[in-house]
Amino acid sequence: MTARSRLRGWIQALAALILASVVPAGSAHAQTDLSTLTESIARAWSRGDAEALTPHLSDQGLDLSLDGEAHTGVSRRQARAALAGFLADWDPETVSVRQSENLGGEPVRALLEFGWEPTARGTPERRSFVIFVSLQRTLEAWRIEEIRVFS
């Protein structure tokens, strides 16, 4: 075995070791991270806390559909304001997680589905909503790209 082939073998072994130590986006770590984010979103929505959702919103713009009112390509600030305005109409109510699925792909995407049955603020009117949240995994974290709320 020549020195060159030994060096090539060492480099390949080192590269394999480095790759094995890096946590890929589709790993159990990313799934745990997704589960944590799912619960965080559910808690924030339950409290009507648009501010708590803001750090998770895509900084590349996102799409919102809030019970028929559509907003496309909005900034974080605009999304926070639209969400705050929408949530202000409803009394806080528990949100149930119906689905949290890592879809994989490149870039890695995920889909969340929530159930929400709030009461209209100041009235006895209760409504049932389904909330869909589309996420994309960046190098730093999961980012919300889209929120759709249907009654």
Side-chain angles (χ1 to χ4, degrees):
M1 182 180 264
T2 68
R4 185 179 219 169
S5 64
R6 246 184 278 132
L7 178 60
R8 185 178 305 132
W10 278 100
I11 291 172
Q12 288 173 342
L14 180 59
L17 182 62
I18 291 169
L19 285 174
S21 69
V22 174
V23 180
S27 70
H29 178 287
Q31 188 60 41
T32 300
D33 188 32
L34 178 60
S35 298
T36 301
L37 177 60
T38 301
E39 292 301 322
S40 177
I41 290 171
R43 279 191 309 277
W45 199 281
S46 292
R47 294 187 315 262
D49 187 357
E51 189 67 38
L53 296 170
T54 304
H56 307 295
L57 301 176
S58 172
D59 54 0
Q60 303 299 314
L62 65 146
D63 297 339
L64 299 175
S65 180
L66 303 173
D67 198 25
E69 187 178 331
H71 308 272
T72 58
V74 298
S75 69
R76 277 183 176 181
R77 184 183 55 75
Q78 292 168 319
R80 180 180 39 79
L83 288 166
F86 177 75
L87 292 169
D89 291 339
W90 304 97
D91 285 331
E93 184 61 49
T94 302
V95 171
S96 62
V97 177
R98 294 183 178 173
Q99 179 181 356
S100 176
E101 186 175 350
N102 185 332
L103 303 174
E106 188 57 42
V108 178
R109 297 189 185 281
L111 178 67
L112 311 178
E113 179 183 338
F114 302 97
W116 184 46
E117 293 186 23
T119 304
R121 199 169 295 273
T123 73
E125 178 193 351
R126 196 163 188 82
R127 292 214 14 224
S128 182
F129 291 96
V130 176
I131 306 162
F132 292 102
V133 178
S134 174
L135 303 165
Q136 179 179 326
R137 181 75 189 184
T138 66
L139 291 176
E140 304 86 37
W142 289 102
R143 296 289 181 224
I144 297 172
E145 291 190 313
E146 181 178 20
I147 299 173
R148 295 189 179 275
V149 180
F150 299 100
S151 58

